[in-house]
Amino acid sequence: MPTQQILSDPAKAAIFLTLTINESAEDKVADILTDVSALGRAVSFRVPDGDLICVVGVGARAWPRLFEAPLPKHLHEFKEIRGDKHTAVSTPGDLLIHLRARTQDLCFELANQLMNKLGPYTAVVDETHGFKYFDERDLLGFVDGTENPEGKAAVTAAVVSPEEDPNYAGGSYVLVQKYMHPLDEWNALSVEEQERVIGRTKLADIELDDDVKPTNSHVALNDLDPVDGKERKIIRDNMPFGTIGTKEFGTYFIGYAADPEVTETMLEHMFLGNPRGNYDRILDFSTAETGALFFAPPVSFLDDPTTVESDSKASEQEETSSEPEDSSESHESLRIGSLKNSHK
């Protein structure tokens, strides 16, 4: 089972768990996280073609509590975005567990095994079970994730490069929000009006022409212009969820990005408007109930956090390297080196 695999084909089933860490339980949790890969292999071994994937993300407050390694370059707490009418809320979250598979039983089994270990030391603040809805559609009836980049462009969009942050190359910043939809109100709109809200045709999933597409449509406000020739894209792995009895229906938004500023800029355009006040009309039918930012480190770090040097060790080495060398030791080193060279 791949752990910390950011890029994959759309899943048919998913479970999203957001946890907070109990006070004084950090050492226990840190130790359990190094065992996630082994737990995943044990579960996936039972269904080899189940495509089970687990991604663990860590929040900014939890990171220094769990690891001695420095904070990833762009990791911070998600800040509330309060628009004139709608708000992207910020809610607690120390850990994110994102499970994907062909079937829900695999996600459930691994979630259960993980929580058997983490349960005594954490609290679940959100649990959402997602499912594939026809041809990758959300419960609003539109295809979700159409604009995800592919190939090398997907790697560039979602995965931290060695140049950007050598300590955590291969990781990704992941922002999550749980959106609730009043489907009765949405379904009262005509299909043509729904298409104007989204910016795409409902059946064929074709983007509306610019002269027809409203500037406050979801597509228009999430399509960011390149900066210095670089595309600003993210990888969405959203899933619909719902319960019939309580009429609670929604979309779990999860966006992976090499730089969280890209995702946050999209949200600013949605909630504040671009220009200000021209907010995303989808928010009239989609309310964000959660919001948190995490960093999903590469699997090498998750399995063994000591692979990244701690801040204290790094500062000690800097101090040592900055101290003047003893002249006698320096000459001795040169002398030995010269003797070695003379015998070559």
Side-chain angles (χ1 to χ4, degrees), residues 235-287:
I235 295 293
R236 296 171 177 83
D237 205 3
N238 304 350
M239 295 290 275
F241 65 89
T243 54
I244 303 300
T246 59
K247 286 187 172 292
E248 293 179 310
F249 308 109
T251 298
Y252 198 94
F253 166 78
I254 179 165
Y256 288 95
D259 185 344
E261 184 181 6
V262 177
T263 317
E264 290 168 331
T265 299
M266 291 177 177
L267 293 179
E268 288 172 359
H269 285 188
M270 287 178 63
F271 285 85
L272 302 179
N274 185 32
R276 178 80 189 219
N278 188 49
Y279 69 86
D280 192 334
R281 197 176 164 213
I282 199 176
L283 296 177
D284 290 338
F285 307 93
S286 192
T287 301

Side-chain angles (χ1 to χ4, degrees), residues 137-138 140-144 186 194-195 198 200-202:
R137 294 180 184 267
D138 57 27
L140 300 179
F142 286 76
V143 175
D144 199 355
W186 174 255
Q194 290 179 357
E195 291 177 341
I198 301 299
R200 306 185 76 88
T201 60
K202 190 169 186 177

